[in-house]
Short mmCIF file of all heavy atoms in Angstrom, two decimals:
data_model
loop_
_atom_site.label_atom_id
_atom_site.label_comp_id
_atom_site.label_asym_id
_atom_site.label_seq_id
_atom_site.Cartn_x
_atom_site.Cartn_y
_atom_site.Cartn_z
N GLY A 1 -38.26 -17.23 -24.00
CA GLY A 1 -37.53 -16.53 -22.95
C GLY A 1 -38.15 -15.18 -22.61
O GLY A 1 -38.23 -14.79 -21.44
N LEU A 2 -38.61 -14.46 -23.65
CA LEU A 2 -39.25 -13.16 -23.41
C LEU A 2 -40.55 -13.33 -22.63
O LEU A 2 -40.85 -12.54 -21.73
CB LEU A 2 -39.52 -12.49 -24.76
CG LEU A 2 -40.22 -11.13 -24.72
CD1 LEU A 2 -39.40 -10.13 -23.94
CD2 LEU A 2 -40.48 -10.63 -26.13
N THR A 3 -41.33 -14.37 -22.95
CA THR A 3 -42.58 -14.62 -22.22
C THR A 3 -42.30 -14.93 -20.76
O THR A 3 -42.98 -14.42 -19.86
CB THR A 3 -43.34 -15.77 -22.88
OG1 THR A 3 -43.57 -15.47 -24.26
CG2 THR A 3 -44.66 -16.01 -22.18
N ILE A 4 -41.30 -15.77 -20.51
CA ILE A 4 -40.96 -16.10 -19.13
C ILE A 4 -40.50 -14.86 -18.36
O ILE A 4 -40.92 -14.63 -17.21
CB ILE A 4 -39.87 -17.19 -19.11
CG1 ILE A 4 -40.41 -18.50 -19.69
CG2 ILE A 4 -39.35 -17.42 -17.69
CD1 ILE A 4 -39.36 -19.57 -19.85
N LEU A 5 -39.67 -14.05 -18.99
CA LEU A 5 -39.21 -12.82 -18.33
C LEU A 5 -40.36 -11.87 -18.05
O LEU A 5 -40.42 -11.25 -16.98
CB LEU A 5 -38.17 -12.13 -19.21
CG LEU A 5 -36.76 -12.73 -19.19
CD1 LEU A 5 -35.88 -11.98 -20.18
CD2 LEU A 5 -36.16 -12.66 -17.80
N LEU A 6 -41.28 -11.74 -19.00
CA LEU A 6 -42.40 -10.81 -18.82
C LEU A 6 -43.30 -11.26 -17.68
O LEU A 6 -43.71 -10.45 -16.83
CB LEU A 6 -43.18 -10.69 -20.12
CG LEU A 6 -44.26 -9.61 -20.17
CD1 LEU A 6 -43.62 -8.23 -20.03
CD2 LEU A 6 -45.03 -9.70 -21.47
N VAL A 7 -43.62 -12.56 -17.64
CA VAL A 7 -44.49 -13.07 -16.57
C VAL A 7 -43.80 -12.94 -15.21
O VAL A 7 -44.41 -12.50 -14.23
CB VAL A 7 -44.87 -14.53 -16.87
CG1 VAL A 7 -45.61 -15.15 -15.69
CG2 VAL A 7 -45.71 -14.62 -18.13
N ALA A 8 -42.52 -13.31 -15.16
CA ALA A 8 -41.80 -13.22 -13.88
C ALA A 8 -41.67 -11.77 -13.42
O ALA A 8 -41.88 -11.46 -12.24
CB ALA A 8 -40.42 -13.86 -14.02
N SER A 9 -41.35 -10.87 -14.34
CA SER A 9 -41.19 -9.46 -13.96
C SER A 9 -42.51 -8.86 -13.51
O SER A 9 -42.55 -8.09 -12.54
CB SER A 9 -40.64 -8.68 -15.16
OG SER A 9 -39.42 -9.20 -15.59
N ALA A 10 -43.62 -9.21 -14.19
CA ALA A 10 -44.92 -8.67 -13.79
C ALA A 10 -45.34 -9.18 -12.41
O ALA A 10 -45.94 -8.45 -11.61
CB ALA A 10 -45.98 -9.04 -14.83
N SER A 11 -45.01 -10.44 -12.11
CA SER A 11 -45.35 -10.96 -10.78
C SER A 11 -44.49 -10.32 -9.69
O SER A 11 -44.97 -10.07 -8.58
CB SER A 11 -45.17 -12.48 -10.77
OG SER A 11 -43.82 -12.82 -11.00
N PHE A 12 -43.23 -10.04 -10.00
CA PHE A 12 -42.38 -9.35 -9.02
C PHE A 12 -42.80 -7.90 -8.84
O PHE A 12 -42.71 -7.35 -7.74
CB PHE A 12 -40.92 -9.41 -9.46
CG PHE A 12 -40.19 -10.64 -9.03
CD1 PHE A 12 -40.01 -11.69 -9.91
CD2 PHE A 12 -39.70 -10.75 -7.75
CE1 PHE A 12 -39.34 -12.83 -9.52
CE2 PHE A 12 -39.02 -11.89 -7.35
CZ PHE A 12 -38.85 -12.94 -8.24
N ALA A 13 -43.25 -7.27 -9.94
CA ALA A 13 -43.59 -5.85 -9.86
C ALA A 13 -44.82 -5.57 -9.02
O ALA A 13 -45.10 -4.42 -8.69
CB ALA A 13 -43.80 -5.30 -11.28
N ALA A 14 -45.59 -6.61 -8.68
CA ALA A 14 -46.76 -6.39 -7.84
C ALA A 14 -46.39 -5.94 -6.43
O ALA A 14 -47.17 -5.26 -5.76
CB ALA A 14 -47.60 -7.67 -7.78
N ASP A 15 -45.20 -6.29 -5.98
CA ASP A 15 -44.74 -5.93 -4.64
C ASP A 15 -43.55 -4.98 -4.79
O ASP A 15 -42.52 -5.36 -5.35
CB ASP A 15 -44.32 -7.17 -3.86
CG ASP A 15 -44.05 -6.87 -2.39
OD1 ASP A 15 -44.12 -5.68 -2.02
OD2 ASP A 15 -43.78 -7.81 -1.63
N PRO A 16 -43.65 -3.74 -4.32
CA PRO A 16 -42.54 -2.80 -4.49
C PRO A 16 -41.24 -3.26 -3.85
O PRO A 16 -40.16 -2.89 -4.30
CB PRO A 16 -43.05 -1.51 -3.83
CG PRO A 16 -44.54 -1.64 -3.84
CD PRO A 16 -44.82 -3.11 -3.70
N SER A 17 -41.30 -4.08 -2.81
CA SER A 17 -40.08 -4.52 -2.15
C SER A 17 -39.29 -5.53 -2.97
O SER A 17 -38.14 -5.82 -2.65
CB SER A 17 -40.42 -5.14 -0.79
OG SER A 17 -41.23 -6.29 -0.94
N ASP A 18 -39.92 -6.10 -4.01
CA ASP A 18 -39.25 -7.12 -4.82
C ASP A 18 -38.56 -6.55 -6.04
O ASP A 18 -37.99 -7.32 -6.83
CB ASP A 18 -40.27 -8.18 -5.28
CG ASP A 18 -40.73 -9.07 -4.14
OD1 ASP A 18 -39.98 -9.18 -3.14
OD2 ASP A 18 -41.83 -9.64 -4.23
N GLU A 19 -38.62 -5.24 -6.25
CA GLU A 19 -38.04 -4.68 -7.47
C GLU A 19 -36.52 -4.82 -7.47
O GLU A 19 -35.92 -5.20 -8.48
CB GLU A 19 -38.45 -3.21 -7.60
CG GLU A 19 -39.96 -3.04 -7.77
CD GLU A 19 -40.37 -1.59 -7.80
OE1 GLU A 19 -39.48 -0.73 -7.64
OE2 GLU A 19 -41.56 -1.31 -7.99
N VAL A 20 -35.90 -4.50 -6.33
CA VAL A 20 -34.43 -4.65 -6.25
C VAL A 20 -34.05 -6.11 -6.35
O VAL A 20 -33.05 -6.48 -7.00
CB VAL A 20 -33.92 -4.03 -4.95
CG1 VAL A 20 -32.42 -4.23 -4.82
CG2 VAL A 20 -34.24 -2.54 -4.89
N ARG A 21 -34.86 -7.00 -5.75
CA ARG A 21 -34.58 -8.42 -5.83
C ARG A 21 -34.64 -8.91 -7.27
O ARG A 21 -33.86 -9.76 -7.69
CB ARG A 21 -35.58 -9.19 -4.98
CG ARG A 21 -35.24 -10.66 -4.82
CD ARG A 21 -36.34 -11.43 -4.14
NE ARG A 21 -36.70 -10.86 -2.85
CZ ARG A 21 -37.68 -11.34 -2.09
NH1 ARG A 21 -38.38 -12.38 -2.51
NH2 ARG A 21 -37.96 -10.78 -0.94
N LEU A 22 -35.56 -8.35 -8.06
CA LEU A 22 -35.67 -8.75 -9.46
C LEU A 22 -34.40 -8.39 -10.24
O LEU A 22 -33.90 -9.18 -11.04
CB LEU A 22 -36.89 -8.08 -10.09
CG LEU A 22 -37.14 -8.35 -11.57
CD1 LEU A 22 -37.35 -9.83 -11.82
CD2 LEU A 22 -38.32 -7.54 -12.08
N ILE A 23 -33.86 -7.19 -9.99
CA ILE A 23 -32.63 -6.79 -10.67
C ILE A 23 -31.46 -7.67 -10.23
O ILE A 23 -30.62 -8.08 -11.05
CB ILE A 23 -32.34 -5.31 -10.39
CG1 ILE A 23 -33.43 -4.43 -11.01
CG2 ILE A 23 -30.98 -4.91 -10.93
CD1 ILE A 23 -33.26 -2.96 -10.76
N VAL A 24 -31.41 -8.02 -8.94
CA VAL A 24 -30.35 -8.90 -8.45
C VAL A 24 -30.45 -10.27 -9.11
O VAL A 24 -29.45 -10.86 -9.53
CB VAL A 24 -30.41 -9.01 -6.92
CG1 VAL A 24 -29.44 -10.07 -6.41
CG2 VAL A 24 -30.10 -7.66 -6.28
N TYR A 25 -31.68 -10.80 -9.24
CA TYR A 25 -31.86 -12.09 -9.89
C TYR A 25 -31.44 -12.02 -11.36
O TYR A 25 -30.89 -12.99 -11.90
CB TYR A 25 -33.32 -12.53 -9.81
CG TYR A 25 -33.74 -12.97 -8.42
CD1 TYR A 25 -35.09 -13.12 -8.11
CD2 TYR A 25 -32.80 -13.25 -7.44
CE1 TYR A 25 -35.49 -13.52 -6.84
CE2 TYR A 25 -33.19 -13.65 -6.17
CZ TYR A 25 -34.54 -13.77 -5.88
OH TYR A 25 -34.92 -14.17 -4.62
N GLY A 26 -31.70 -10.88 -12.00
CA GLY A 26 -31.26 -10.72 -13.39
C GLY A 26 -29.74 -10.76 -13.51
O GLY A 26 -29.20 -11.38 -14.43
N LEU A 27 -29.06 -10.10 -12.58
CA LEU A 27 -27.59 -10.14 -12.60
C LEU A 27 -27.07 -11.54 -12.32
O LEU A 27 -26.07 -11.98 -12.91
CB LEU A 27 -27.04 -9.15 -11.57
CG LEU A 27 -27.37 -7.67 -11.82
CD1 LEU A 27 -26.85 -6.82 -10.67
CD2 LEU A 27 -26.77 -7.21 -13.14
N VAL A 28 -27.75 -12.28 -11.43
CA VAL A 28 -27.36 -13.66 -11.17
C VAL A 28 -27.54 -14.51 -12.43
O VAL A 28 -26.71 -15.37 -12.75
CB VAL A 28 -28.16 -14.23 -9.99
CG1 VAL A 28 -27.93 -15.73 -9.84
CG2 VAL A 28 -27.79 -13.51 -8.70
N ALA A 29 -28.64 -14.27 -13.17
CA ALA A 29 -28.88 -15.01 -14.40
C ALA A 29 -27.79 -14.73 -15.44
O ALA A 29 -27.36 -15.63 -16.17
CB ALA A 29 -30.26 -14.66 -14.97
N ILE A 30 -27.34 -13.48 -15.49
CA ILE A 30 -26.24 -13.15 -16.41
C ILE A 30 -24.97 -13.92 -16.02
O ILE A 30 -24.26 -14.46 -16.88
CB ILE A 30 -25.98 -11.63 -16.40
CG1 ILE A 30 -27.16 -10.89 -17.02
CG2 ILE A 30 -24.69 -11.29 -17.14
CD1 ILE A 30 -27.03 -9.39 -16.95
N GLY A 31 -24.70 -13.99 -14.71
CA GLY A 31 -23.53 -14.73 -14.27
C GLY A 31 -23.63 -16.22 -14.60
O GLY A 31 -22.66 -16.84 -15.04
N VAL A 32 -24.82 -16.80 -14.42
CA VAL A 32 -25.01 -18.22 -14.75
C VAL A 32 -24.83 -18.44 -16.24
O VAL A 32 -24.19 -19.41 -16.67
CB VAL A 32 -26.41 -18.67 -14.28
CG1 VAL A 32 -26.71 -20.08 -14.79
CG2 VAL A 32 -26.49 -18.64 -12.76
N ALA A 33 -25.38 -17.53 -17.07
CA ALA A 33 -25.21 -17.67 -18.52
C ALA A 33 -23.74 -17.56 -18.92
O ALA A 33 -23.26 -18.30 -19.79
CB ALA A 33 -26.04 -16.61 -19.24
N ALA A 34 -23.01 -16.64 -18.29
CA ALA A 34 -21.58 -16.50 -18.60
C ALA A 34 -20.80 -17.73 -18.19
O ALA A 34 -19.90 -18.19 -18.90
CB ALA A 34 -21.03 -15.25 -17.93
N ILE A 35 -21.14 -18.30 -17.03
CA ILE A 35 -20.46 -19.52 -16.58
C ILE A 35 -20.73 -20.67 -17.55
O ILE A 35 -19.84 -21.44 -17.91
CB ILE A 35 -20.90 -19.87 -15.15
CG1 ILE A 35 -20.37 -18.82 -14.17
CG2 ILE A 35 -20.41 -21.26 -14.76
CD1 ILE A 35 -20.89 -18.99 -12.77
N GLY A 36 -21.99 -20.77 -17.98
CA GLY A 36 -22.31 -21.82 -18.96
C GLY A 36 -21.61 -21.61 -20.28
O GLY A 36 -21.14 -22.57 -20.90
N ARG A 37 -21.51 -20.36 -20.72
CA ARG A 37 -20.80 -20.07 -21.96
C ARG A 37 -19.32 -20.42 -21.85
O ARG A 37 -18.68 -20.81 -22.83
CB ARG A 37 -20.95 -18.57 -22.28
CG ARG A 37 -20.30 -18.13 -23.57
CD ARG A 37 -21.09 -18.56 -24.77
NE ARG A 37 -20.56 -17.94 -25.98
CZ ARG A 37 -21.10 -18.09 -27.19
NH1 ARG A 37 -22.20 -18.81 -27.34
NH2 ARG A 37 -20.57 -17.50 -28.25
N GLY A 38 -18.77 -20.30 -20.65
CA GLY A 38 -17.36 -20.61 -20.45
C GLY A 38 -17.03 -22.09 -20.42
O GLY A 38 -15.86 -22.45 -20.36
N GLY A 39 -18.06 -22.96 -20.44
CA GLY A 39 -17.81 -24.40 -20.51
C GLY A 39 -18.15 -25.16 -19.26
O GLY A 39 -17.93 -26.39 -19.23
N ALA A 40 -18.70 -24.52 -18.24
CA ALA A 40 -19.00 -25.24 -17.00
C ALA A 40 -20.13 -26.24 -17.20
O ALA A 40 -20.10 -27.35 -16.65
CB ALA A 40 -19.38 -24.23 -15.90
N PHE A 41 -21.13 -25.87 -17.99
CA PHE A 41 -22.25 -26.78 -18.21
C PHE A 41 -21.83 -27.99 -19.04
O PHE A 41 -22.36 -29.08 -18.86
CB PHE A 41 -23.40 -26.04 -18.90
CG PHE A 41 -24.05 -25.01 -18.03
CD1 PHE A 41 -24.71 -23.94 -18.58
CD2 PHE A 41 -24.00 -25.12 -16.65
CE1 PHE A 41 -25.32 -22.99 -17.78
CE2 PHE A 41 -24.60 -24.18 -15.83
CZ PHE A 41 -25.26 -23.11 -16.40
N VAL A 42 -20.89 -27.78 -19.96
CA VAL A 42 -20.38 -28.92 -20.74
C VAL A 42 -19.69 -29.92 -19.82
O VAL A 42 -19.86 -31.14 -19.94
CB VAL A 42 -19.44 -28.42 -21.84
CG1 VAL A 42 -18.81 -29.59 -22.58
CG2 VAL A 42 -20.17 -27.50 -22.81
N TRP A 43 -18.89 -29.41 -18.89
CA TRP A 43 -18.20 -30.28 -17.93
C TRP A 43 -19.21 -30.99 -17.04
O TRP A 43 -19.09 -32.20 -16.79
CB TRP A 43 -17.25 -29.45 -17.08
CG TRP A 43 -16.62 -30.21 -15.96
CD1 TRP A 43 -15.53 -31.02 -16.02
CD2 TRP A 43 -17.07 -30.24 -14.60
NE1 TRP A 43 -15.27 -31.56 -14.79
CE2 TRP A 43 -16.19 -31.11 -13.90
CE3 TRP A 43 -18.12 -29.64 -13.91
CZ2 TRP A 43 -16.35 -31.36 -12.54
CZ3 TRP A 43 -18.27 -29.90 -12.56
CH2 TRP A 43 -17.39 -30.74 -11.89
N LEU A 44 -20.23 -30.26 -16.56
CA LEU A 44 -21.24 -30.87 -15.71
C LEU A 44 -22.04 -31.93 -16.47
O LEU A 44 -22.34 -33.00 -15.92
CB LEU A 44 -22.18 -29.79 -15.16
CG LEU A 44 -23.31 -30.26 -14.25
CD1 LEU A 44 -22.74 -30.92 -13.00
CD2 LEU A 44 -24.21 -29.10 -13.89
N ASN A 45 -22.36 -31.65 -17.74
CA ASN A 45 -23.10 -32.63 -18.53
C ASN A 45 -22.27 -33.90 -18.74
O ASN A 45 -22.81 -35.02 -18.69
CB ASN A 45 -23.46 -32.01 -19.88
CG ASN A 45 -24.15 -33.00 -20.80
OD1 ASN A 45 -25.30 -33.38 -20.57
ND2 ASN A 45 -23.46 -33.42 -21.84
N ALA A 46 -20.97 -33.75 -18.96
CA ALA A 46 -20.12 -34.92 -19.12
C ALA A 46 -20.09 -35.78 -17.85
O ALA A 46 -20.03 -37.02 -17.93
CB ALA A 46 -18.71 -34.49 -19.50
#
């Protein structure tokens, strides 16, 4: 996970306009992880 984050962040950091987008994507990832922790992925897998 750290390797994926580092590669993705370095590729986004090449363009200054993508820095805010990178933070927004990080917040979206937190929301997806929280939804999965709450049991949504278990329901979808079933």
Side-chain angles (χ1 to χ4, degrees):
L2 178 61
T3 303
I4 294 174
L5 282 177
L6 189 63
V7 173
S9 302
S11 63
F12 273 99
D15 189 357
S17 62
D18 288 336
E19 296 176 357
V20 178
R21 189 188 305 178
L22 178 61
I23 295 178
V24 172
Y25 287 166
L27 297 176
V28 171
I30 292 176
V32 172
I35 292 173
R37 182 75 171 183
F41 292 155
V42 175
W43 173 83
L44 180 62
N45 176 71

